[in-house]
Amino acid sequence: MTGQPMVKAEGVHKSYGAAHILRGIDLEVRSGEVFCLVGPSGSGKSTFLRCINHLERIDGGRLSVDGQLVGYRQKGDKLYELKDSEVAAQRRDIGMVFQRFNLFPHMTALANVMEAPLQVKGESKAVARERAERLLDRVGLGDKMGNYPSQLSGGQQQRVAIARALAMEPKLMLFDEPTSALDPELVGDVLDVMRDLAESGMTMIVVTHEMGFAREVGDSLVFMDGGVVVESGHPREVLGNPQHDRTKAFLSKVL
């Protein structure tokens, strides 16, 4: 885990009208790290995640992935927004998994996973199919490749969504509360897939309420509240011995 950080945020601000959602976020995520973001609803966690792949534009500061500014290019001391096509090219390297699975309902699991490499990368069907089959096997759905989303449980759909994100061979994976929409008994299968990914060395930023996962799998943990980083450190340290009153109050409710 040496060299430049995979993600670097410097004084990142984001507002929607009068609502100041991110108030100067500074953090670094190293390559190969599992970085967990926790905090109450409305604290800015999901907004920050969306800024990393420029689904949201930042209003101040700088955000870079693998040494490249996200969504902007610098000329002199000014930042200029990239064209849509350039932003799309940056996004190829960043996989994102949302609360809602957003699968194409008219496509099988296999076709869902093949779609982006075919359309965005222009891969051959044979190459895209071979990878999609391998990834669906990896997430434990080798026997469901021909099923449509309506024939799959929520947990299975979420695992297809993870396979779909991995099909683009990203260098960074973003997870926005990937288990929060699932029935409790389906959560474990999704977390197992994420554990496997972490063990394979994938750089992951995970917004989560699953404190057990954060404690076991995370390398770093940030507690956010009110658009700022309140406390950060190793997950076991922060969860086991929080220093800040706001962290203590939040953890007393969720642990």
Side-chain angles (χ1 to χ4, degrees), residues 155-187:
Q156 289 169 334
Q157 289 184 63
Q158 191 61 296
R159 285 185 279 153
V160 174
I162 293 172
R164 180 180 61 179
L166 291 172
M168 289 294 285
E169 302 186 307
K171 54 189 169 192
L172 170 66
M173 283 285 282
L174 309 176
F175 292 89
D176 189 7
E177 298 188 18
T179 58
S180 65
L182 301 179
D183 293 332
E185 70 269 22
L186 302 175
V187 167

Side-chain angles (χ1 to χ4, degrees), residues 212 214-221 233-242:
R215 187 188 286 113
E216 286 167 49
V217 182
D219 298 300
S220 298
L221 182 139
H234 191 278
R236 289 191 182 149
E237 287 290 310
V238 178
L239 297 176
N241 187 24

Side-chain angles (χ1 to χ4, degrees), residues 89-153:
Q90 284 189 331
R91 270 196 204 122
R92 290 181 194 186
D93 290 331
I94 304 172
M96 187 154 185
V97 178
F98 300 89
Q99 284 180 21
R100 298 277 163 209
F101 329 118
N102 303 336
L103 299 177
F104 296 116
H106 62 289
M107 291 185 179
T108 62
L110 184 68
N112 263 286
V113 179
M114 288 172 63
E115 181 70 1
L118 289 174
Q119 299 301 333
V120 179
K121 281 187 167 177
E123 284 187 354
S124 74
K125 259 195 162 147
V127 169
R129 185 186 181 100
E130 190 274 326
R131 186 189 304 110
E133 288 177 349
R134 190 172 73 242
L135 288 169
L136 285 167
D137 261 337
R138 182 175 178 182
V139 300
L141 294 172
D143 58 339
K144 303 284 186 196
M145 293 187 194
N147 289 36
Y148 289 88
S150 61
Q151 300 169 313
L152 300 171
S153 72

Side-chain angles (χ1 to χ4, degrees), residues 12-17 19 21-22 44-65 69-72 81-82 84 87 90-91 94 96 98 174 176:
V12 170
H13 285 259
K14 173 68 188 172
S15 298
Y16 299 107
I21 307 297
L22 300 177
K45 311 179 302 291
S46 294
T47 299
F48 178 67
L49 213 60
R50 292 170 67 84
C51 289
I52 293 172
N53 63 0
H54 208 58
L55 288 172
E56 303 285 356
R57 291 158 60 175
I58 64 175
D59 299 318
R62 299 161 66 90
L63 194 49
S64 52
V65 171
L69 276 177
V70 173
Y72 297 89
E81 190 156 17
L82 297 178
D84 288 350
V87 172
Q90 284 189 331
R91 270 196 204 122
I94 304 172
M96 187 154 185
F98 300 89
L174 309 176
D176 189 7

Side-chain angles (χ1 to χ4, degrees), residues 36-40 43 211 221-226 228-255:
C36 297
L37 286 172
V38 304
S43 58
M211 299 301 159
L221 182 139
V222 157
F223 170 66
M224 281 177 68
D225 192 17
V228 298
V229 171
V230 176
E231 192 165 337
S232 62
H234 191 278
R236 289 191 182 149
E237 287 290 310
V238 178
L239 297 176
N241 187 24
Q243 300 300 303
H244 199 288
D245 287 345
R246 278 152 90 190
T247 320
K248 288 175 189 170
F250 172 74
L251 291 176
S252 72
K253 294 188 181 86
V254 298
L255 284 179

